[in-house]
Amino acid sequence: MSESLTTVDTAKKLGILPEEFEKIKEKLGRAPNFTELCAYSGMWSEHCSYKNSIKWLKTLPKEGPHMLAKAGEENAGLVAIGEGLACAFKIESHNHPSAIEPYQGAATGVGGINRDIFTMGARPIAQLNSLRFGNIDSDRTKWIMRGVVKGIGNYGNSFGIPTVGGEVFFDDAFEQNPLVNAMSVGIVKEGKTISATSYGVGNPIYIVGSATGKDGIGGAAFASGDLTEDSAKDLPAVQVGDPFQEKLLLEASLEVIASGAVVGMQDMGAAGIICSTAEMSAKGQHGMKIYLDKVPTRQAGMQPYELLLSESQERMLVVVIKGQESIIEKIFDKWDLPCANIGEVTAGEKLEFYFEGEMVADLYADHLVLGGGAPQYDREYKEPAYYAEAKKFDANSIPQPKDYKEVARFLISHPNIASKRWIYNQYDSMVGTVNMSTNEPSDAAIVNLKDSNKALAVTVDCNSRYVQADPEIGTMIAVSEAARNIVCSGGVPSAITNCLNFGNPYNPEAYWQFVGAIKGMSAACLKFSTPVTGGNVSFYNQCKVGDKVVPVFPTPTIGMLGIVEDKKHQTGIGFKQAGDHIYILGNVFVDCINSSEYLYSYCQVKNTPAPNFNLEEEYQLHQLVKDLIRSKVIQSAHDVSDGGLICNLLESGFVRQKGFEINQTMDGRKDAFLFGEAQGRVVVSVSPDQIKSFTEVVKKHTLFAESLGIVTNGEVKVDKDNWGHIGDFEKKYLNSIEEKLN
């Protein structure tokens, strides 16, 4: 090798700690050259190695009755859904790229997560997203939001996969550092998946898809550091996507997998070629010999380290059975995609990279990867001062509002609650004709499985404010709400994927939030039998406030998959007809305004405990709702969440322009009754001829069903006070975000 050896100062510039540099020298038996050090920089970055999170991630529950691939085994989670079908699904972040180049940052996030699905042999059928932005009134937030939404819409629409659901949350905490989490769901026949592995000495290795450029170089390291005022200088670390190329790659990849000529396949995401070669080789316990000058490029003069680390989009690494090269080449030629033989599988575990006749890197695959030689750390954590201060909150210090109707109008038009139609109208939700929630909105999106009585129920959920208030309880709530949404829609929760968005892991208070979230997630997933199939950790999400750098609100986004065992169980949120009775189920007598949108945004009281929550009562509520749906005794079901009971009722009324007449029959604060966000509650409507049957089902369970009132033809009355017509509230609900953006 002709390259000179590197020093600890070079390592520091590449984000490698001094002790890590010493570990690299120990593993190699020498100092690495620059290309090798770049390989370690990418592979040992937080984004690829999970070095500050893996020890806690290993504590998450991974066992479940439907599991076909456990967390970390493949590019995405895989669960059996019956009738010989399996579902591959995963969620990942693209936060830092979206902060400095919103359009491409979001677009390539969508492209990357879809590749994780079809690389396994599954056809993507649905997309969801979870977005966090700053104050919607700020110009920066509007710029980021417009770019992100356009990027998601343009890429997803062009790729031809419907966006069926999602969530959007605004807070000053995300002003400088938005969160862009993308989820993809795909379907494959059981036993027809392919693994991201490499074996078979002499088997050729192909790079397929787009040509390689300098976009995205160092992207993994970029995602593993703080955003600063100088981050815009790192713009080359943001990839550029081409959805039409990805569509071709999807069809070609599925055809290649079906041909039987492929040993293994992996998407080239973070850290590019070095990541794909290292992970596939380590998994298959074989080596590779790669000729980097054979990689098709779209920019002249690319250096070996650039070829190794480029994160150019729409590329795959494919290990082919020797002698079947012509099959692969013909398929990719048919789809007009570059397809180049760049090396071969070797015995042993060495990765040898050559460029213009010289070896430029000589590495051990296992030394580079998570679960192998990549470092693993136990970080310090401590409870932040704000947590103890929040416990002192006394609801009695909050006076009752003078006008409850005014509060309701404020909440239903608040950006965190108001209609997101300005966003979802830019997404194609109907392509592929699988979205069953368009005409009958439900708490979770219902995705049709054609030629089957079954459907999928999918959702993404997390209230960042609850997790900020109490990471452990807030994350339990995130899992519980996801499960509650699936149950209210007629499904049975099956498994989750997660996207863990937190601050700097070297900040003990930020790491305390991460540890608490993992504990809460474990407890809730065990309770609901929803194992963790995998996901993504995104650290270093923070903002500068004055002279201090503070983490964003911790956001462990939960992407949950559920199975609707029979499509006749599909249940919407909308009230059906005037005269139906309205009941609230679950923990109905709780007097709680903690961390509610009402308290936080209307009363401007920011630091309070998480809402009331009881995991066992939540579980019992889900069993009751399942029983009611399967007994066919309710007309609608809608969980009480953001904005409390009043927003729940208004949203149910908007679907068919129905109103409601309710009365507070429970003791306690009226603002808590109307606007509180205590968990473990669901509102259902029941036709008069089903009241007796409804009551009989409820009696079999341990929870309460409290009568609230009746559905009306449009009038809204609360405690006999006439609040007007449902249409007046709907105008504010539909137009609020559009008015702010326009």
Side-chain angles (χ1 to χ4, degrees):
M1 290 186 289
S2 61
E3 286 192 43
S4 59
L5 302 182
T6 54
T7 66
V8 68
D9 290 333
T10 308
K12 283 182 180 178
K13 291 176 182 177
L14 291 174
I16 296 173
L17 301 173
E19 59 268 31
E20 292 174 347
F21 185 65
E22 292 304 316
K23 189 175 181 179
I24 292 169
K25 290 198 296 182
E26 179 185 328
K27 287 183 174 295
L28 290 177
R30 57 178 170 80
N33 65 33
F34 183 73
T35 299
E36 291 170 333
L37 192 62
C38 287
Y40 275 101
S41 172
M43 292 304 295
W44 282 16
S45 68
E46 182 67 44
H47 193 71
C48 290
S49 73
Y50 290 178
K51 59 189 176 186
N52 290 309
S53 59
I54 187 59
K55 289 199 172 182
W56 283 101
L57 295 177
K58 287 178 179 178
T59 68
L60 291 168
K62 300 175 178 65
E63 302 289 340
H66 306 141
M67 295 291 286
L68 296 175
K70 295 181 182 178
E73 290 183 347
E74 297 296 348
N75 285 332
L78 188 70
V79 297
I81 57 177
E83 299 178 6
L85 295 176
C87 179
F89 68 112
K90 189 180 182 183
I91 189 169
E92 281 197 342
S93 64
H94 235 220
N95 303 335
H96 287 186
S98 299
I100 63 172
E101 216 302 338
Y103 178 86
Q104 290 294 354
T108 52
V110 172
I113 195 64
N114 278 314
R115 286 196 301 280
D116 279 340
I117 300 304
F118 69 75
T119 305
M120 293 178 65
R123 179 175 290 277
I125 61 168
Q127 299 173 138
L128 302 91
N129 53 70
S130 174
L131 310 176
R132 300 290 183 281
F133 301 114
N135 189 320
I136 196 172
D137 293 321
S138 81
D139 290 339
R140 174 175 170 79
T141 292
K142 291 175 182 177
W143 171 70
I144 290 176
M145 183 178 173
R146 288 189 176 107
V148 165
V149 172
K150 188 175 182 180
I152 292 172
N154 284 8
Y155 201 104
N157 297 352
S158 301
F159 184 52
I161 307 299
T163 300
V164 299
E167 58 166 4
V168 186
F169 184 89
F170 298 88
D171 193 274
D172 291 345
F174 303 101
E175 185 68 24
Q176 298 164 31
N177 195 137
L179 303 183
V180 178
N181 297 174
M183 179 175 170
S184 182
V185 179
I187 296 295
V188 63
K189 290 183 179 179
E190 280 194 54
K192 297 297 183 181
T193 56
I194 192 164
S195 184
T197 190
S198 169
Y199 55 82
V201 175
N203 279 337
I205 299 164
Y206 281 76
I207 186 170
V208 302
S210 295
T212 298
K214 293 186 179 183
D215 52 314
I217 292 173
F222 171 61
S224 305
D226 295 332
L227 277 176
T228 68
E229 294 176 357
D230 295 326
S231 290
K233 297 175 183 177
D234 294 324
L235 198 61
V238 179
Q239 309 94 325
V240 177
D242 181 345
F244 300 104
Q245 191 85 335
E246 176 128 327
K247 176 63 175 173
L248 297 176
L249 187 59
L250 161 68
E251 301 301 339
S253 297
L254 294 182
E255 189 171 336
V256 159
I257 292 169
S259 75
V262 173
V263 169
M265 180 185 290
Q266 180 159 327
D267 162 42
M268 283 188 194
I273 288 175
I274 186 59
C275 185
S276 299
T277 55
E279 290 184 348
M280 293 178 77
S281 294
K283 185 171 183 178
Q285 297 184 320
H286 277 66
M288 287 186 184
K289 188 176 287 187
I290 300 293
Y291 301 93
L292 292 172
D293 47 320
K294 292 186 177 181
V295 173
T297 60
R298 60 172 179 265
Q299 287 172 274
M302 290 187 70
Q303 297 302 303
Y305 80 92
E306 295 175 316
L307 292 163
L308 274 183
L309 292 179
S310 169
E311 295 180 12
S312 293
Q313 295 291 283
E314 295 88 39
R315 299 180 303 158
M316 303 286 199
L317 195 71
V318 185
V319 178
V320 178
I321 297 172
K322 189 173 183 178
Q324 303 200 28
E325 295 90 338
S326 62
I327 296 175
I328 303 300
E329 292 168 0
K330 285 178 181 177
I331 290 173
F332 280 95
D333 182 61
K334 166 188 168 183
W335 291 100
D336 197 24
L337 288 170
C339 170
N341 185 334
I342 63 168
E344 64 181 6
V345 178
T346 59
E349 299 175 11
K350 278 282 195 84
L351 294 175
E352 297 176 352
F353 295 96
Y354 293 84
F355 185 74
E356 295 181 348
E358 286 191 55
M359 181 188 285
V360 293
D362 184 13
L363 303 165
Y364 284 94
D366 194 61
H367 290 178
L368 294 166
V369 301
L370 165 69
Q376 298 182 23
Y377 298 119
D378 283 317
R379 292 295 172 207
E380 175 193 358
Y381 57 93
K382 68 175 183 179
E383 179 184 298
Y386 81 81
Y387 182 71
E389 192 64 28
K391 300 295 184 185
K392 300 176 184 177
F393 172 70
D394 180 4
N396 293 322
S397 66
I398 306 299
Q400 289 286 323
K402 295 179 181 179
D403 187 337
Y404 295 96
K405 178 184 174 182
E406 177 199 335
V407 178
R409 289 167 66 89
F410 171 87
L411 289 174
I412 205 65
S413 60
H414 190 281
N416 286 342
I417 297 170
S419 169
K420 309 304 186 294
R421 72 172 182 178
W422 180 87
I423 295 173
Y424 65 69
N425 278 351
Q426 298 183 54
Y427 304 154
D428 189 337
S429 63
M430 292 305 294
V431 62
T433 63
V434 296
N435 189 350
M436 297 173 63
S437 305
T438 304
N439 297 323
E440 188 59 54
S442 51
D443 280 342
I446 306 299
V447 180
N448 187 32
L449 294 177
K450 296 178 180 179
D451 302 318
S452 171
N453 287 328
K454 295 185 176 186
L456 299 179
V458 288
T459 184
V460 287
D461 290 286
C462 181
N463 187 307
S464 304
R465 187 166 55 246
Y466 298 169
V467 187
Q468 171 75 7
D470 189 315
E472 190 165 346
I473 291 177
T475 308
M476 284 192 209
I477 290 174
V479 176
S480 299
E481 183 177 1
R484 194 189 318 140
N485 284 336
I486 284 173
V487 168
C488 286
S489 304
V492 177
S494 177
I496 77 161
T497 177
N498 60 53
C499 202
L500 307 179
N501 307 273
F502 289 84
N504 191 321
Y506 297 91
N507 175 343
E509 294 183 352
Y511 203 73
W512 175 84
Q513 295 175 326
F514 173 75
V515 171
I518 294 294
K519 291 178 179 178
M521 189 182 306
S522 293
C525 286
L526 286 170
K527 188 66 183 178
F528 299 119
S529 297
T530 52
V532 179
T533 64
N536 170 227
V537 178
S538 175
F539 281 136
Y540 302 98
N541 295 290
Q542 44 203 30
C543 299
K544 192 171 183 181
V545 180
D547 295 331
K548 296 179 67 177
V549 176
V550 298
V552 300
F553 280 1
T555 307
T557 306
I558 304 299
M560 186 174 283
L561 171 74
I563 301 169
V564 180
E565 295 168 324
D566 192 316
K567 290 171 187 171
K568 66 185 180 184
H569 294 156
Q570 181 183 358
T571 305
I573 69 170
F575 292 143
K576 295 283 183 17
Q577 57 197 22
D580 284 352
H581 292 242
I582 303 170
Y583 289 86
I584 185 168
L585 313 173
N587 201 355
V588 298
F589 299 110
V590 175
D591 201 19
C592 174
I593 57 174
N594 293 352
S595 285
S596 60
E597 197 70 63
Y598 157 70
L599 186 62
Y600 188 88
S601 297
Y602 186 82
C603 301
Q604 292 291 304
V605 178
K606 305 292 186 180
N607 190 21
T608 63
N612 182 275
F613 173 77
N614 182 293
L615 185 57
E616 179 58 35
E617 290 177 353
E618 182 79 47
Y619 176 79
Q620 295 301 329
L621 172 66
H622 297 190
Q623 308 319 303
L624 171 56
V625 175
K626 285 180 195 174
D627 199 355
L628 290 169
I629 289 174
R630 281 148 186 76
S631 299
K632 301 179 182 178
V633 296
I634 60 174
Q635 298 276 62
S636 66
H638 187 17
D639 80 314
V640 179
S641 56
D642 301 345
L645 176 64
I646 196 66
C647 290
N648 167 291
L649 295 167
L650 289 169
E651 288 167 355
S652 292
F654 294 155
V655 178
R656 293 180 179 82
Q657 288 295 288
K658 299 298 178 186
F660 51 87
E661 183 175 340
I662 62 163
N663 295 287
Q664 181 179 354
T665 60
M666 298 157 269
D667 295 333
R669 298 176 61 106
K670 187 169 181 176
D671 59 353
F673 169 72
L674 291 174
F675 316 126
E677 297 178 16
Q679 299 296 293
R681 298 182 296 161
V682 169
V683 171
V684 298
S685 60
V686 185
S687 63
D689 61 345
Q690 289 287 355
I691 295 296
K692 182 179 178 181
S693 299
F694 168 80
T695 304
E696 289 173 352
V697 173
V698 171
K699 283 180 179 177
K700 295 188 295 182
H701 295 263
T702 59
L703 297 178
F704 293 101
E706 181 75 8
S707 175
L708 292 175
I710 61 169
V711 177
T712 69
N713 276 319
E715 306 83 10
V716 174
K717 292 184 178 180
V718 177
D719 289 335
K720 297 184 171 57
D721 184 16
N722 191 334
W723 283 15
H725 193 273
I726 190 72
D728 298 332
F729 288 95
E730 188 177 33
K731 287 177 184 176
K732 297 188 72 67
Y733 173 77
L734 291 176
N735 298 325
S736 175
I737 287 180
E738 292 183 17
E739 289 174 356
K740 287 181 178 296
L741 289 171
N742 293 332

